[in-house]
């Protein structure tokens, strides 16, 4: 059996390619579908099926574009009701790809239509299982996303469904089965995912907290929901795009790939309904940027942060990008449904300055200067996640996680200067850009974040491994 795991782009969404005898199946494809078409052509294979494990919330799937371009049929699990042509599989329905078999196993819990796909080789051996967001390495899918779309669902009810799906459908399978999840560490679709991308089911039974053999449904629900933060605001919008359909990526790039000279760029920006999004490196943004622009660097966890912080997928955007990264930025925005790019600054920030337009900057200092300037009156804001903060933080620092800034905006000092840091310097600059766009300029950004601060004599709490707190 030939199975290749294909990772594309900035999010940890995995797509899987199964090929035999000139036939192919694609699982959970990303929105830019050309790599799958190219691979099929290279292998002289025809794409017969495009399997979706569920209606994804964290990204816009490539199922519709891939079906149109390849002729393959889209497959969803039971209870799915998409607004486009698709096969709605029944539980345990089998699909043939050459000599191989793909069996749909309905596993509601993450969502009602969630379905895993068992891969069976030509000898009938169970080779692996595509688990989507039902089972991750070290975790299971969060059970609170579908409740936003179905009125009488609760996260507790979905957690109960997931408990039953895992115990009755997944855990009875063979220990040597290879688990292929749709996400790894960093995804907002779970809370405790491993950086590993595959594992055996047997090892997950031994190590994954959610698969503990003696666990009751009540214990499972409590542990699963404990510490589960709110999902990003854009998630329900992406679900609807995946259910209803969307414009092709080709058409999005064609309408968005527009270079605007500085005066044109300024004229569009001054219309008032577009956000200037600067995706350069944080070090470049700190030195000089267009006033009131928002920084989310393309080199970081770009698309999820855009979705979490900008929230509305219909938001109009103007881009400031590194040279040659314009199309990549448009493509990566489209992965989370942000398809309304009005253009990019032709010539970048240098052209903007050459045209005589004003720039702004962020007061930024080294970790050593931070340590030397600290005193009893210092105000320090830590932009990391609560778990990072609890493990270790600068003494007396205030934790305002970046993704909660909107809810905690009133906690930010408006008059007194304050230090701002994260782990490595990426998130703090994002937060600083948002605060400056809202009129708060009394910010002192700490370069290199906690990673740099720990190398100084700044007073910090004693490190506690997060796993020891469970």
């Amino acid at each position: 059996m030939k199975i290749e795991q294909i990772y594309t782009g900035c999010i940890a969404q995995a797509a899987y390619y199964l090929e035999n005898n000139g036939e192919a199946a694609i699982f959970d494809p990303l929105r830019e579908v050309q790599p799958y078409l190219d691979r099929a052509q290279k292998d002289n294979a025809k794409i017969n099926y495009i399997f979706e494990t569920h209606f994804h919330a964290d990204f816009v799937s490539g199922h519709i574009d891939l079906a149109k371009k390849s002729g393959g049929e889209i497959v969803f699990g039971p209870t799915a009701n998409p607004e486009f042509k698709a096969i709605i599989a029944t539980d345990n329905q089998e699909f043939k790809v050459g000599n191989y078999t793909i069996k749909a196993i309905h596993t509601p819990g993450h969502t009602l239509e969630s379905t895993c796909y068992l891969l069976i080789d030509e000898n009938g051996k169970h080779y692996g299982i595509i688990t989507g967001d039902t089972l991750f390495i070290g975790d299971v899918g969060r059970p609170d996303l579908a409740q936003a779309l179905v009125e009488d669902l609760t996260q507790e009810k979905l957690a109960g469904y997931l408990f039953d799906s895992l115990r009755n459908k997944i855990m009875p399978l063979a220990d040597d089965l290879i688990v292929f999840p749709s996400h790894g560490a960093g995804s907002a679709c779970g809370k405790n995912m491993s950086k590993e991308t595959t594992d055996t089911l047997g090892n997950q039974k031994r190590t994954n907290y959610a698969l503990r053999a003696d666990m009751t449904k009540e214990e499972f629900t409590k542990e699963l929901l404990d510490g589960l933060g709110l999902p990003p605001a854009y998630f329900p919008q992406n679900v609807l795009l995946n259910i209803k359909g969307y414009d092709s990526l080709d058409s999005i790039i064609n309408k968005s790939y527009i270079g605007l000279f500085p005066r044109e760029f300024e004229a569009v920006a001054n219309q008032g309904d577009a956000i200037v999004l600067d995706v350069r490196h944080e070090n470049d943004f700190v030195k000089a940027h267009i006033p009131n622009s928002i920084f989310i660097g393309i080199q970081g966890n770009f698309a999820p942060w855009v979705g979490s912080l900008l929230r509305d997928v219909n938001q109009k955007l103007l881009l400031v990008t590194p040279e040659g990264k314009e199309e990549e930025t448009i493509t990566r925005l489209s992965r989370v449904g942000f398809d309304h790019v009005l253009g990019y600054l032709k010539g970048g920030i240098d052209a903007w300055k050459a045209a005589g337009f004003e720039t702004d900057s962020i007061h930024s200092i080294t970790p050593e200067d931070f340590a030397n300037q600290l005193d009893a009156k210092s105000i320090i804001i830590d932009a990391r996640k609560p778990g990072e903060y609890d493990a270790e933080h600068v003494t007396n620092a205030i934790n305002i996680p970046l993704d909660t800034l909107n809810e905690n905006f009133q906690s930010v000092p408006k008059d007194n200067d304050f230090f701002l840091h994260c782990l490595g310097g990426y998130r703090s600059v994002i937060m600083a850009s948002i605060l400056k766009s809202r009129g708060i300029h009394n910010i002192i950004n700490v370069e290199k974040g906690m990673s740099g601060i720990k190398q100084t004599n700044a007073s910090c709490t004693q490190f506690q491994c997060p796993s020891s707190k469970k």
Side-chain angles (χ1 to χ4, degrees), residues 451-470:
S451 297
I453 293 170
K454 290 195 296 183
Q455 307 305 314
T456 72
N457 62 358
S459 175
C460 298
T461 61
Q462 187 173 358
F463 177 78
Q464 296 184 59
C465 179
S467 62
S468 70
K469 297 171 179 284
K470 294 179 182 178

Side-chain angles (χ1 to χ4, degrees), residues 316-447:
K316 296 176 182 178
L317 300 172
L318 286 163
L319 303 178
V320 180
T321 75
E323 185 177 357
K325 293 292 186 178
E326 299 86 2
E327 184 172 335
E328 179 185 341
T329 304
I330 294 167
T331 299
R332 289 172 66 174
L333 286 168
S334 76
R335 290 182 187 152
V336 287
F338 282 76
D339 293 340
H340 299 280
V341 172
L342 304 181
Y344 64 89
L345 179 59
K346 194 173 182 64
I349 200 71
D350 289 338
W352 181 264
K353 290 189 288 187
F357 289 113
E358 179 186 1
T359 62
D360 199 355
S361 61
I362 294 174
H363 182 194
S364 193
I365 62 173
T366 67
E368 292 76 17
D369 286 341
F370 167 72
N372 292 334
Q373 294 177 30
L374 279 180
D375 59 37
K377 296 181 180 180
S378 295
I379 302 172
I380 309 149
I381 293 180
D382 186 330
R384 296 176 301 158
K385 296 178 180 178
E388 296 174 280
Y389 174 86
D390 290 342
E392 184 179 24
H393 59 265
V394 178
T395 305
N396 297 325
I398 303 166
N399 187 211
I400 302 180
L402 174 58
D403 57 356
T404 70
L405 179 58
N406 287 322
E407 293 77 15
N408 292 297
F409 182 71
Q410 296 305 319
S411 300
V412 177
K414 308 300 189 294
D415 301 314
N416 298 323
D417 287 352
F418 62 90
F419 297 104
L420 174 63
H421 78 85
C422 57
L423 176 62
Y426 179 78
R427 284 174 284 178
S428 64
V429 177
I430 296 177
M431 183 179 284
S433 73
I434 295 172
L435 292 174
K436 285 178 70 68
S437 74
R438 298 181 184 181
I440 296 178
H441 300 280
N442 48 306
I443 305 160
I444 304 172
N445 177 62
V446 183
E447 300 168 0

Side-chain angles (χ1 to χ4, degrees), residues 4 26 44 60 72 76 126 249 252 258 299 312 324 344 365 387 408 410 463 469:
E4 180 171 339
I26 302 291
N44 196 29
V60 178
F76 279 97
H126 293 180
L249 180 58
I252 296 302
I258 302 171
Q299 85 284 354
D312 182 3
Y344 64 89
I365 62 173
N408 292 297
Q410 296 305 319
F463 177 78
K469 297 171 179 284

